Amino acid sequence: MESRVFSRATTIAHVRRPLRESHSNTSCSFVSIKPIGAVGEGGNLIWGRQLRPSLLLEASSPMNARKDSLRKVMAAASSPAEGSDSSGDGKVAPVGFFDKYPALVTGFFFFMWYFLNVIFNILNKKIYNYFPYPYFVSVIHLFVGVVYCLVSWTVGLPKRAPMDSNLLKLLIPVAVCHALGHVTSNVSFAAVAVSFTHTIKALEPFFNAAASQFVLGQSIPITLWLSLLPVVLGVSMASLTELSFNWTGFISAMISNISFTYRSLYSKKAMTDMDSTNIYAYISIIALIVCIPPAIIVEGPQLMKYGFNDAIAKVGLTKFISDLFWVGMFYHLYNQLATNTLERVAPLTHAVGNVLKRVFVIGFSILIFGNKISTQTGIGTGIAIAGVATYSFIKAKMEEEKRQGKAA
């Protein structure tokens, strides 16, 4: 279900003919397309959607069959959505739904990302109301996700990708940023209201834009910078009704912004060698190892003394364990979908979607926790949505002009 693309080049590795040919006028050619592990400038191909149409080619002679095979393979590579060539001599296997409607798939990824994130934030905040230990809860989030990944690998859904030293070097900084951003986000959620944390984290697109331009060297046009202003302004206005300033929450949320910005950028680089599902699984394992020592040092003595006992006394052992399990499961699933979505879009687009997601989180948290919805919240939500629409329009127009320039 993941997006699969070739980042730089593809080659037709070989064309094999069958050992036997029938006495009729038809013959079969089997075509396989293999990626090159490394291409010019040291880059790797991104394997995602497998290009695997089974071609049944017809020809009047062995030589024509070989030529027709090559022509149809090139046609299939350049126009995979077509079911047959123009001459009707051969047929290509039907294109799957995910390949035919990539925009709908990306939209579904965004929807599920938002939905699971809303559930996670609500349940997470309820846990902190009776168990205010963000370092330990952060470890539980990652631990449940790691167990989920190990079980998935065991049954082969997905198949575990091999790890090597080069990829490990790429993943370690990603995992460290992920661990730091995750823990600081939870510290902020535990210290202040959900709306305040999301207000500060709404600045993430600016951090992403700055990192894309000044770290990666990608030029961000002034029009895109300006389109981000109403997004952040709108989310901030939508959050003000629950605003409760706290320095611990503020600083933690800012650190989280910086950490997740670099995580996104490094993850984009790491995806050149492995699919996003395996990438996030390895990131979760490494991040769990990083998070355990701080949790033991900072909260270990308090948890053993009265933390666990107080939580069990308030809600009971069964609910306490159940809440921790489900919050960890929702955390892993929404982050996995966020990672899959990042594979399909640019980091800046991902960041804008992340801001809009916060509007949903704030809105649902207001409904769940019984807060009144003010006029200002409604106006802020509208401004944020308009900002995202403006950004999307400008971005799409720029990409279309770029494609037309290349075609010319």
Side-chain angles (χ1 to χ4, degrees):
M1 187 170 67
E2 300 168 6
S3 172
R4 306 283 186 172
V5 274
F6 292 103
S7 62
R8 301 191 184 181
T10 60
T11 61
I12 302 177
H14 59 276
V15 178
R16 295 199 309 270
R17 298 187 58 193
L19 295 177
R20 296 182 180 177
E21 295 182 358
S22 65
H23 297 289
S24 64
N25 292 331
T26 60
S27 63
C28 296
S29 295
F30 297 90
V31 180
S32 62
I33 300 177
K34 295 182 179 180
I36 299 176
V39 295
E41 301 177 3
N44 293 325
L45 296 176
I46 303 176
W47 260 110
R49 180 175 14 193
Q50 294 179 349
L51 189 60
R52 57 181 189 280
S54 300
L55 301 180
L56 179 60
L57 306 176
E58 299 179 0
S60 59
S61 67
M63 183 62 67
N64 290 335
R66 183 178 182 86
K67 291 180 180 179
D68 289 343
S69 299
L70 291 174
R71 279 199 301 268
K72 290 167 186 175
V73 170
M74 297 304 295
S78 62
S79 183
E82 296 179 358
S84 62
D85 63 353
S86 58
S87 64
D89 292 337
K91 294 182 179 181
V92 180
V95 177
F97 177 84
F98 299 137
D99 296 342
K100 192 174 182 181
Y101 302 101
L104 290 179
V105 176
T106 302
F108 175 76
F109 273 56
F110 271 101
F111 171 77
M112 290 304 299
W113 174 27
Y114 288 11
F115 176 73
L116 293 173
N117 187 264
V118 167
I119 297 177
F120 163 77
N121 275 272
I122 292 173
L123 181 57
N124 203 46
K125 187 61 179 179
K126 288 183 176 181
I127 290 175
Y128 287 135
N129 287 338
Y130 67 83
F131 188 69
Y133 296 94
Y135 285 84
F136 176 79
V137 174
S138 298
V139 170
I140 294 298
H141 292 164
L142 294 170
F143 176 77
V144 173
V146 167
V147 173
Y148 176 89
C149 293
L150 295 177
V151 173
S152 298
W153 279 341
T154 301
V155 299
L157 296 172
K159 183 178 180 181
R160 186 181 71 85
M163 173 65 67
D164 55 46
S165 59
N166 292 329
L167 183 57
L168 184 61
K169 292 178 182 178
L170 289 174
L171 290 185
I172 287 177
V174 178
V176 171
C177 291
H178 180 69
L180 181 60
H182 177 51
V183 171
T184 51
S185 291
N186 278 280
V187 171
S188 182
F189 282 129
V192 297
V194 172
S195 61
F196 179 74
T197 299
H198 283 285
T199 299
I200 304 303
K201 289 174 70 66
L203 298 174
E204 186 176 339
F206 286 101
F207 286 97
N208 275 271
S212 295
Q213 181 158 335
F214 299 113
V215 176
L216 298 182
Q218 299 174 356
S219 178
I220 306 297
I222 186 63
T223 51
L224 286 181
W225 281 105
L226 293 177
S227 69
L228 293 173
L229 287 175
V231 178
V232 178
L233 176 62
V235 175
S236 299
M237 290 180 61
S239 304
L240 286 176
T241 53
E242 285 189 290
L243 186 60
S244 57
F245 185 82
N246 180 294
W247 279 111
T248 300
F250 176 81
I251 295 174
S252 298
M254 291 297 291
I255 296 174
S256 175
N257 275 336
I258 298 173
S259 300
F260 284 143
T261 293
Y262 279 94
R263 181 195 66 175
S264 296
L265 298 178
Y266 288 135
S267 293
K268 199 69 175 181
K269 294 181 180 180
M271 284 179 188
T272 58
D273 295 309
M274 187 185 295
D275 66 277
S276 61
T277 301
N278 277 286
I279 283 286
Y280 185 67
Y282 283 117
I283 288 174
S284 297
I285 294 173
I286 300 172
L288 175 61
I289 297 173
V290 173
C291 288
I292 289 176
I296 295 175
I297 295 172
V298 176
E299 296 178 345
Q302 298 178 4
L303 286 172
M304 297 304 296
K305 187 176 181 180
Y306 49 80
F308 292 124
N309 292 332
D310 289 349
I312 294 173
K314 292 177 181 178
V315 299
L317 179 61
T318 301
K319 180 174 174 53
F320 179 52
I321 295 177
S322 176
D323 284 351
L324 291 178
F325 169 78
W326 284 113
V327 77
M329 183 61 69
F330 287 130
Y331 169 78
H332 176 81
L333 292 177
Y334 103 73
N335 270 285
Q336 178 62 69
L337 282 169
T339 305
N340 294 142
T341 305
L342 175 61
E343 187 183 35
R344 305 181 69 89
V345 298
L348 190 56
T349 304
H350 187 268
V352 172
N354 202 28
V355 171
L356 186 58
K357 174 206 68 180
R358 303 192 192 287
V359 176
F360 284 84
V361 172
I362 291 168
F364 278 99
S365 66
I366 290 174
L367 293 175
I368 296 299
F369 294 109
N371 298 335
K372 294 182 179 180
I373 301 176
S374 66
T375 303
Q376 180 173 303
T377 298
I379 295 175
T381 302
I383 293 175
I385 294 175
V388 172
T390 302
Y391 165 82
S392 301
F393 174 78
I394 295 175
K395 184 72 173 177
K397 187 176 181 181
M398 292 174 57
E399 291 178 351
E400 180 63 25
E401 291 176 353
K402 186 182 298 184
R403 285 194 296 267
Q404 292 177 357
K406 292 181 178 179

